[in-house]
């Protein structure tokens, strides 16, 4: 039973560039949430996707956008990268109706120089 | 403002000793509270999940308690092991939305170091 997978593991980008991060949910899950975790901080909720639509969104600018595909996998896109976007980006999957349990992936470490 | 505060920020204990981590929250309305273990550079792994009606839940050497009246939770680790060295994050969820968890509010975590 495959868990949540994310790619790439690490990424280095230059300020102003755009980046796409990818997530495959745990087998049987249909909901994907994205989080940003700055060094030494707890994760911050970016948004959640279900049925290929954004269902909830945290306090992040429009530079952060996402997509969910029919196979439930998801992408996080960040435009016009800022130095402050450097963080660990976590993807978590769950099954709608289960309510409580979210499974996290290993994360993508993004460094913006 | 919905907040989750954890204490202490960091903790060093000797292998074999017990420890207790604290979590206070102001999230309202409240659906459930979770404790996660996060190794450095890795994704969080769930330890326990409690609804407002549950007072305690155990997972091996980890025991979480919840007082919904005072909005406090604790995570007790018994007979610590070197592998317990990690950050422990308290997460509080608002009410479910369409069957899925509401916005999760994360604490900053307590960094635990277990020394031999």
């Amino acid at each position: 039973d495959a868990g949540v997978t994310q790619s790439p593991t690490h990424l280095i980008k230059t300020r102003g560039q755009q980046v796409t991060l990818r997530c495959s949910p745990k087998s049987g899950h249909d909901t994907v949430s994205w989080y940003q975790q700055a060094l030494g901080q707890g994760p911050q909720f970016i948004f959640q996707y279900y049925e290929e639509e954004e269902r909830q969104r945290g306090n992040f600018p429009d530079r952060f956008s996402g997509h969910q595909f029919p196979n439930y996998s998801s992408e996080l896109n960040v435009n016009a990268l800022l130095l402050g976007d450097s963080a660990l980006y976590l993807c978590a999957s769950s099954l709608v109706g289960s309510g409580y349990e979210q499974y996290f992936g290993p994360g993508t470490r993004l460094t913006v120089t | 403002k919905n907040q989750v505060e954890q204490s202490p920020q960091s903790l060093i204990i000797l292998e074999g000793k017990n420890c207790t981590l604290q979590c206070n929250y102001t999230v309202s309305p409240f659906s459930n509270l979770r404790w996660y273990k996060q190794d450095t550079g890795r994704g969080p792994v769930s330890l326990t999940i409690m609804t407002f009606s549950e007072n305690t839940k155990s997972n091996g050497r980890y025991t979480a308690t919840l007082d919904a009246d005072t909005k406090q939770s604790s995570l007790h680790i018994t007979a610590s092991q070197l592998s317990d060295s990690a950050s422990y994050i308290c997460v509080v969820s608002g009410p479910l939305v369409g069957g899925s968890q509401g916005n999760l509010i994360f604490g900053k975590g307590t960094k635990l170091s277990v020394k031999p």
Side-chain angles (χ1 to χ4, degrees):
Chain A
D1 179 22
V4 181
T5 60
Q6 292 185 243
S7 64
T9 306
H10 296 88
L11 201 54
I12 300 176
K13 288 287 189 178
T14 303
R15 188 171 45 185
Q17 286 187 315
Q18 177 266 345
V19 68
T20 298
L21 311 181
R22 296 176 176 82
C23 171
S24 291
K26 180 179 169 65
S27 178
H29 284 183
D30 54 13
T31 303
V32 173
S33 302
W34 287 93
Y35 297 85
Q36 180 195 66
Q37 186 176 23
L39 199 62
Q41 302 293 316
Q44 298 288 320
F45 176 71
I46 302 175
F47 43 53
Q48 181 184 83
Y49 276 84
Y50 170 68
E51 290 189 336
E52 302 179 49
E53 291 189 359
E54 184 181 293
R55 298 186 67 191
Q56 299 185 67
R57 188 179 183 92
N59 188 26
F60 277 80
D62 292 343
R63 297 187 297 109
F64 290 78
S65 62
H67 187 78
Q68 186 179 35
F69 299 94
N71 67 354
Y72 307 119
S73 67
S74 177
E75 288 182 349
L76 164 66
N77 301 293
V78 186
N79 294 323
L81 284 168
L82 304 174
L83 296 179
D85 294 333
S86 295
L88 181 68
Y89 287 85
L90 295 166
C91 166
S93 75
S94 58
L95 178 64
V96 72
S98 66
Y100 303 149
E101 190 61 78
Q102 281 199 329
Y103 292 81
F104 283 85
T108 293
R109 171 68 64 187
L110 172 65
T111 301
V112 181
T113 62
Chain B
K1 181 180 178 182
N2 289 330
Q3 287 185 314
V4 176
E5 301 287 341
Q6 292 188 244
S7 61
Q9 188 174 18
S10 61
L11 183 62
I12 301 174
I13 62 173
L14 293 177
E15 185 180 12
K17 297 296 185 182
N18 304 335
C19 67
T20 300
L21 313 180
Q22 301 291 342
C23 172
N24 296 334
Y25 62 93
T26 59
V27 179
S28 182
F30 161 84
S31 174
N32 60 77
L33 184 145
R34 319 160 188 218
W35 282 94
Y36 282 92
K37 177 185 179 185
Q38 185 176 25
D39 293 315
T40 302
R42 306 298 299 273
V45 175
S46 179
L47 296 174
T48 64
I49 300 175
M50 292 184 291
T51 65
F52 64 88
S53 62
E54 296 177 289
N55 300 119
T56 185
K57 182 161 284 189
S58 292
N59 178 2
R61 295 180 296 103
Y62 301 102
T63 299
T65 63
L66 172 64
D67 185 336
D69 292 331
T70 62
K71 294 185 169 57
Q72 295 180 325
S73 177
S74 65
L75 179 69
H76 187 74
I77 304 175
T78 304
S80 61
Q81 301 175 358
L82 298 179
S83 59
D84 291 333
S85 296
S87 287
Y88 291 84
I89 304 175
C90 175
V91 185
V92 180
S93 173
L96 300 183
V97 176
S100 290
Q101 59 86 30
N103 191 0
L104 297 181
I105 310 298
F106 286 74
K108 293 184 179 180
T110 292
K111 187 175 177 62
L112 175 65
S113 297
V114 180
K115 304 296 186 182

